[in-house]
Amino acid sequence: MEMNGVNKNAWWGFPENFDALLVLFIDEGQEEGIFGHGDLYLRCIEVHSNTLIQLEWWFTTSDQTRVTVIGPLRAKLMDMIRSVGSQEAYHQARDQEMLQHVWNQPLTSADLEVSFRVQS
């Protein structure tokens, strides 16, 4: 039964999706590259990846942002976020393609499996 547009089987209704929060620190440039200027893409990344992402700017010597990801695809999404800063051109291009995908349409487990099979 759906009430006010909320599905009782939504990912946030399952406690296991809140186990083991994933936390990562990224620099300001990575944050803008992933989430867009002013975090323009944050909401669509959350919606398209079925996650909740919290960004907290931390006063550190390198002005890092703490990224916390909650949800069923959190580990795979976090790996993608972590690898966006790769120094290898191939990885940068692949991860940018994945980001553009998640900015524009829902991310599926199959999308992530293909991405990480190539990464391995």
Side-chain angles (χ1 to χ4, degrees), residues 6 8 11-12 33 41-42 50 52 60 63 68 72-73 75 81 85 88 90 98-99 102 109:
V6 177
K8 71 177 183 175
W11 71 265
W12 54 83
Y41 299 115
L42 176 61
N50 289 316
L52 173 66
T60 64
D63 292 332
T68 304
L73 297 178
I81 290 170
E88 297 181 35
Y90 168 77
M98 181 63 75
L99 274 173
V102 76
S109 292

Side-chain angles (χ1 to χ4, degrees), residues 75-120:
K76 293 181 181 185
L77 184 66
M78 191 63 93
D79 284 339
M80 183 187 73
I81 290 170
R82 188 178 292 123
S83 64
V84 165
S86 174
Q87 299 300 315
E88 297 181 35
Y90 168 77
H91 292 291
Q92 287 177 346
R94 183 201 63 230
D95 295 330
Q96 188 62 40
E97 183 179 328
M98 181 63 75
L99 274 173
Q100 289 177 355
H101 178 86
V102 76
W103 288 340
N104 297 305
Q105 60 189 318
L107 193 60
T108 66
S109 292
D111 293 329
L112 291 165
E113 290 303 321
V114 168
S115 173
F116 291 105
R117 232 179 291 129
V118 169
Q119 195 173 44
S120 300

Side-chain angles (χ1 to χ4, degrees), residues 10-104:
W11 71 265
W12 54 83
F14 297 92
E16 61 271 14
N17 289 327
F18 292 87
D19 294 340
L21 305 178
L22 294 176
V23 177
L24 174 70
F25 287 87
I26 59 175
D27 65 36
E28 190 175 353
Q30 282 178 290
E31 178 187 354
E32 189 163 315
I34 295 165
F35 301 107
H37 183 70
D39 299 328
L40 175 68
Y41 299 115
L42 176 61
R43 180 71 180 129
C44 66
I45 291 173
E46 288 178 318
V47 170
H48 291 158
S49 66
N50 289 316
T51 57
L52 173 66
I53 302 170
Q54 180 179 2
L55 303 176
E56 298 175 85
W57 188 73
W58 284 59
F59 287 106
T60 64
T61 56
S62 59
D63 292 332
Q64 293 185 314
T65 299
R66 176 181 166 168
V67 181
T68 304
V69 181
I70 303 165
L73 297 178
R74 66 187 175 273
K76 293 181 181 185
L77 184 66
M78 191 63 93
D79 284 339
M80 183 187 73
I81 290 170
R82 188 178 292 123
S83 64
V84 165
S86 174
Q87 299 300 315
E88 297 181 35
Y90 168 77
H91 292 291
Q92 287 177 346
R94 183 201 63 230
D95 295 330
Q96 188 62 40
E97 183 179 328
M98 181 63 75
L99 274 173
Q100 289 177 355
H101 178 86
V102 76
W103 288 340
N104 297 305

